[in-house]
Amino acid sequence: MTSTATTIDAAIEALTEGAVRWAATPLAERGLLLRQVHDLTARHAQDWVDIAVDIKGLPKDSPLVGEEWVSGPYPVITGTGALIESLAALDAGRSPLDGFEITAAPGDRSAVHVLPHGIFDRLLLNGFTAEVWTKPGIGAETVRARAGSGARTPARDSGVAVVLGAGNIFSIPPLDLLYQLIADNRVVALKLNPITDPLLPVFERIFAPLIERGFLRILTGGAEVGTALVNHPDVTSVHMTGSSNTHDAIVFGPGAEGARRRAANTPLLAKPITSELGGVSPTIVLPGQWSEADLRFQAEHLATQRLHNNGYNCVASQVAIVSADWPQKEKFLAELRAAFDRAPERPAYYPGSENRVANARKEYPRAQRVGPNNDRTLVLGISPSKDEPALREEYFSPVFGVTELPGTGPEFLRAAVDVSNEEFVGTLGVNIIAHPKTLRQLGAALDKAIADLRYGTVAINAWTGVGYLTARASWGAFPGHTLDDVQSGIGVVHNALLIDDPERTVVRGPFRPAPRSITRGEFTLAPKPPWFVTNRTAATTGRLLAYFSAAPGWSKLPAIFASALRG
């Protein structure tokens, strides 16, 4: 049932009272509430996935159901578990970063090593690592001392936050509301995207401990409900996930008058707003000498970066940057098209998808129609210029482009970094794919490239989506955006270690899956990841991983490994 003015007022009134109680709730008790949410997420995970599959129109026996396990209950289970540990550390007078390695990173930054954390991470995500880099000039001791965010001053009443939930990845609203509660010390009015309304009963059961105490209210409805919530006089802050157009309408108002206000930087919204807004994400493919198996696997990797959730991801790769001088370029592009063709078909469930695909094909008449039903679009020969629609419009659909730059080695990488920084709209995530030998040859040039890329997550031989799934990593745009030029947003979420000054997350993964990685000298045990759209056992592996994360145990590992290796 759509929320009304009466229910909105009642919700905010209850939350205003709840904010006082939240400020009086000790850290240990907050941890117990999170433990209940953690356990309830596992208990209702199957119901969550069943409803998600219905929303997205997926066949119940499709391997793609694994996406709903891995991007639904799984990150909420791991996220609450990590937050519980951080609160326990603070309650004991320790830093949440105690026990985590912190090393120097390029540009006078500090790098907090957040993945792997513990033996199970080392086994289940073997070959994958993640670091959170701080802003320049912040040393390790300062990072440890500042960690905790709002949980360091839990008695402070920070008021009521409105969270405008996303409609594409169903763990986004839960993770966003948890961050407001723990990191920002605010109670939450969560407004669901209408796409996710069928999940309301499940979310109400999962978050019942917070709802019953007056720390959370979940509301439904369209833009009019969101507008009423955002502008309610007793709401103190706003967080949203969506498009920059929606952000600007909230902050400056709609239409021509809103555009004038944005140009003059005179916001209508008189309260702070944080946001995660997506953008156009590039993938830099560094030339090297690849085997036929490498070409095929990395083509599937790139197709996954676009086709996961049918392209309805804020961090879906949209344009690959390849070397025009790479001798294997044509072979790779042929494998890329084949990967787009053989990925399983799926419905275009997200509103406006067909129109966005049609617009892309109109902008690029020579685009190739690919996929089982020719409903995917591959655009070759894109100019590396911000005037190109593919570099400035987030298509949010199964449309993928390729642009070429001259050169090889460090000069190609340098040019690709410059194009990524200067020509692409948005700063949420960037991927780099390269043969291990190429990475070794680049040496310090690679470190400099990672430091120079102005993106909130940088992934090397991994998809930036791994950063989203890593509970202790920060997630958000590169810092420094302003209300009138918001790009991919302002602020971070997830960040379960409550790191005070995160600048970016850096993810690394294996170039080849096991067992081929072992025979080729990488010595990593990770098979084809379960988030690959071509993974045949993703549904089973995703379900097993979610339940394992809820209650880890050695006896559960053999089934996970057996399923993963068959993928």
Side-chain angles (χ1 to χ4, degrees):
M1 180 181 296
T2 299
S3 302
T4 65
T6 300
T7 56
I8 290 170
D9 285 341
I12 300 303
E13 181 179 359
L15 287 168
T16 302
E17 297 171 359
V20 177
R21 291 194 298 276
W22 183 246
T25 302
L27 291 178
E29 189 173 343
R30 296 183 187 193
L32 290 174
L33 288 168
L34 287 185
R35 173 57 62 186
Q36 294 177 54
V37 170
H38 173 277
D39 294 345
L40 286 167
T41 303
R43 183 184 305 174
H44 298 292
Q46 186 66 63
D47 292 339
W48 177 333
V49 171
D50 288 344
I51 294 170
V53 166
D54 287 341
I55 291 172
K56 297 185 179 182
L58 296 173
K60 297 189 187 312
D61 60 351
S62 170
L64 295 174
V65 173
E67 293 182 0
E68 300 313 311
W69 282 103
V70 172
S71 67
Y74 170 78
V76 177
I77 292 168
T78 58
T80 49
L83 285 170
I84 290 166
E85 292 181 5
S86 291
L87 290 183
L90 290 165
D91 191 45
R94 298 182 286 106
S95 168
L97 299 184
D98 287 352
F100 288 83
E101 183 182 10
I102 303 177
T103 58
D108 195 26
R109 297 170 172 90
S110 294
V112 183
H113 297 247
V114 300
L115 180 76
H117 180 61
I119 184 62
F120 290 135
D121 275 357
R122 295 182 189 279
L123 290 172
L124 293 171
L125 292 167
N126 192 267
F128 287 89
T129 66
E131 304 166 358
V132 176
W133 289 13
T134 66
K135 297 171 185 175
I138 301 173
E141 291 308 311
T142 301
V143 176
R144 289 191 195 277
R146 290 182 182 175
S149 299
R152 295 176 64 228
T153 54
R156 179 181 178 184
D157 180 351
S158 298
V160 179
V162 164
V163 172
L164 301 178
N168 58 330
I169 295 295
F170 298 156
S171 58
I172 292 176
L175 292 172
D176 288 354
L177 77 87
L178 288 170
Y179 197 72
Q180 289 291 321
L181 276 166
I182 303 303
D184 293 323
N185 220 23
R186 300 178 182 123
V187 296
V188 176
L190 168 64
K191 208 286 284 186
L192 296 179
N193 185 295
I195 293 174
T196 62
D197 283 354
L199 281 165
L200 175 62
V202 171
F203 285 165
E204 287 179 330
R205 291 195 292 272
I206 289 172
F207 290 103
L210 299 175
I211 295 171
E212 291 165 0
R213 296 285 297 274
F215 303 147
L216 172 67
R217 289 291 182 269
I218 306 178
L219 300 101
T220 60
E224 72 286 349
V225 174
T227 299
L229 284 166
V230 165
N231 292 295
H232 196 287
D234 294 329
V235 166
T236 56
S237 67
V238 177
H239 177 80
M240 66 159 292
T241 301
S243 72
S244 58
N245 290 335
T246 301
H247 170 274
D248 290 346
I250 290 170
V251 173
F252 298 104
E257 181 59 29
R260 284 192 289 271
R261 287 183 174 276
R262 178 173 175 267
N265 197 16
T266 53
L268 283 175
L269 187 69
K271 57 193 71 172
I273 180 170
T274 54
S275 52
E276 192 264 83
L277 307 175
V280 178
S281 293
T283 295
I284 301 169
V285 181
L286 299 181
Q289 186 59 46
W290 296 7
S291 69
E292 296 293 330
D294 295 338
L295 291 166
R296 180 183 176 94
F297 178 76
Q298 290 301 341
E300 290 186 3
H301 191 185
L302 205 50
T304 290
Q305 293 177 9
R306 188 60 201 175
L307 296 180
H308 183 280
N309 200 32
N310 208 38
Y312 312 134
N313 285 337
C314 50
V315 76
S317 177
Q318 184 159 301
V319 177
I321 304 174
V322 302
S323 168
D325 300 320
W326 184 22
Q328 293 180 297
K329 180 192 70 175
E330 294 303 330
K331 282 188 176 181
F332 180 70
L333 294 181
E335 287 287 1
L336 183 63
R337 171 167 182 152
F340 271 78
D341 278 333
R342 66 176 173 266
E345 63 178 295
R346 62 194 306 162
Y349 78 90
Y350 203 87
S353 178
E354 293 93 341
N355 290 337
R356 290 189 293 275
V357 170
N359 288 339
R361 290 175 174 177
K362 183 178 179 180
E363 290 165 341
Y364 296 101
R366 298 177 64 183
Q368 301 177 28
R369 302 186 179 207
V370 295
N373 299 313
N374 289 328
D375 53 353
R376 297 164 186 159
T377 303
L378 186 61
V379 186
L380 305 180
I382 294 172
S383 169
S385 165
K386 68 178 63 176
D387 295 329
E388 283 284 344
L391 274 61
R392 57 182 169 81
E393 299 175 17
E394 185 183 9
Y395 287 129
F396 214 67
S397 62
V399 176
F400 190 76
V402 177
T403 189
E404 299 181 18
L405 296 175
T408 59
E411 68 273 16
F412 171 78
L413 176 59
R414 180 70 262 163
V417 168
D418 290 343
V419 166
S420 298
N421 282 340
E422 304 300 335
E423 309 297 336
F424 282 70
V425 169
T427 65
L428 188 60
V430 59
N431 312 279
I432 299 174
I433 294 174
H435 192 285
K437 182 178 179 180
T438 302
L439 297 179
R440 290 193 297 269
Q441 290 173 337
L442 286 168
L446 176 65
D447 295 336
K448 186 177 189 311
I450 296 171
D452 288 346
L453 282 163
R454 298 193 294 269
Y455 285 83
T457 299
V458 180
I460 302 96
N461 286 336
W463 178 33
T464 46
V466 178
Y468 176 93
L469 295 175
T470 302
R472 295 176 177 87
S474 62
W475 183 254
F478 194 78
H481 298 315
T482 56
L483 289 178
D484 60 331
D485 185 20
V486 73
Q487 295 279 321
S488 290
I490 297 171
V492 300
V493 289
H494 304 188
N495 188 28
L497 291 175
L498 305 173
I499 298 168
D500 196 49
D501 297 293
E503 181 186 64
R504 76 186 79 198
T505 289
V506 179
V507 176
R508 292 178 174 87
F511 180 69
R512 306 178 183 93
R516 194 162 54 85
S517 58
I518 299 172
T519 62
R520 293 301 184 94
E522 280 192 275
F523 304 109
T524 60
L525 300 177
K528 180 185 289 187
W531 52 84
F532 265 47
V533 293
T534 51
N535 189 304
R536 296 169 295 182
T537 61
T540 301
T541 305
R543 174 174 55 81
L544 292 172
L545 282 172
Y547 286 127
F548 176 89
S549 299
W554 290 97
S555 64
K556 298 178 181 179
L557 291 178
I560 297 174
F561 290 144
S563 177
L565 287 168
R566 293 195 304 269

